Amino acid sequence: MLSGPRRSLLIADDVGLEKTIEAGICLLELIARGVGKRILLVVPPGLIPQWIDEMNDKFGLEFRSIENSSALDRAQPDLSDGLQPWAYFDRVITSTEYLKRRDVHAAALAHPWDAVVVDEAHYLAESGISANPYSTARTRLGPRLRESTRALILLTATSHNRAPRAQPYLCQYWSYSKAT
């Protein structure tokens, strides 16, 4: 995870085994090595407050929440004309549901991130049955996230038990990176 130009980690532990803490430790190490300035957290909407608290309380890391259009509008007055919040703020947390929109991820991923953490990453996998899988907006988001970062950390408690097809699908994100 910590060496090489393309850093990737899939943490597939059971519920309650502190994947958030593991991700925070990885982020601190990337920061200490000078390769973790711009960090994007992508989490389910209901987990945003928990992630903000955990990152701040346990690691001293503060994140700007841009979880929906209203939050994006609230962030804009803090910036000079022409600056985009996604480019200006170095540590941002957003929801998977908001980021999956094409216009949103086009803006959010226009500038590379040093690290991207995706919680509940199994939702990036294809849906449907093995014989008839289909892509969703979340599925299409996965490759965009990989392309936009040097370090991708995927967290899931489901890939190895309730969604067995998810783990191989998530592992494909380790195979390429266009971030510089």
Side-chain angles (χ1 to χ4, degrees), residues 69-80:
S69 298
S70 297
L72 185 65
D73 291 343
R74 284 192 306 273
Q76 197 61 53
D78 295 343
L79 308 177
S80 300

Side-chain angles (χ1 to χ4, degrees), residues 3-179:
S3 63
R6 185 191 68 225
R7 300 169 180 93
S8 299
L9 179 64
L10 172 61
I11 302 174
D13 285 335
D14 285 325
V15 173
L17 293 181
E18 303 297 339
K19 292 176 291 300
T20 307
I21 303 303
E22 293 176 66
I25 291 168
C26 291
L27 293 175
L28 284 182
E29 187 61 29
L30 290 170
I31 292 167
R33 291 174 183 234
V35 292
K37 183 179 181 196
R38 285 183 41 80
I39 301 169
L40 177 65
L41 304 179
V42 183
V43 306
L47 297 180
I48 288 175
Q50 175 186 332
W51 269 88
I52 289 172
D53 290 346
E54 294 270 326
M55 291 295 111
N56 191 18
D57 295 348
K58 293 189 170 60
F59 302 105
L61 299 175
E62 293 186 22
F63 285 83
R64 181 66 180 245
S65 179
I66 303 178
E67 73 275 12
N68 55 38
S69 298
S70 297
L72 185 65
D73 291 343
R74 284 192 306 273
Q76 197 61 53
D78 295 343
L79 308 177
S80 300
D81 286 339
L83 284 177
Q84 294 296 317
W86 299 107
Y88 178 78
F89 296 110
D90 286 333
R91 294 185 188 140
V92 174
I93 184 167
T94 191
S95 76
T96 312
E97 295 307 303
Y98 184 54
L99 192 63
K100 73 180 182 183
R101 293 179 28 194
R102 287 184 185 183
D103 60 321
V104 175
H105 71 248
L109 305 179
H111 301 281
W113 295 92
D114 294 321
V116 172
V117 177
V118 182
D119 194 12
E120 303 289 339
H122 53 277
Y123 288 121
L124 299 178
E126 290 177 327
S127 294
I129 59 173
S130 297
N132 191 20
Y134 61 90
S135 292
T136 65
R138 286 187 210 107
T139 307
R140 292 184 291 276
L141 176 62
R144 293 292 321 268
L145 291 170
R146 171 72 272 178
E147 292 169 1
S148 71
T149 188
R150 294 184 192 118
L152 180 63
I153 303 171
L154 303 173
L155 311 177
T156 180
T158 311
S159 71
H160 57 288
N161 51 23
R162 286 181 279 174
R165 286 189 21 239
Q167 192 165 346
Y169 191 83
L170 295 175
C171 289
Q172 78 175 328
Y173 298 134
W174 295 346
S175 64
Y176 65 92
S177 176
K178 295 180 184 173

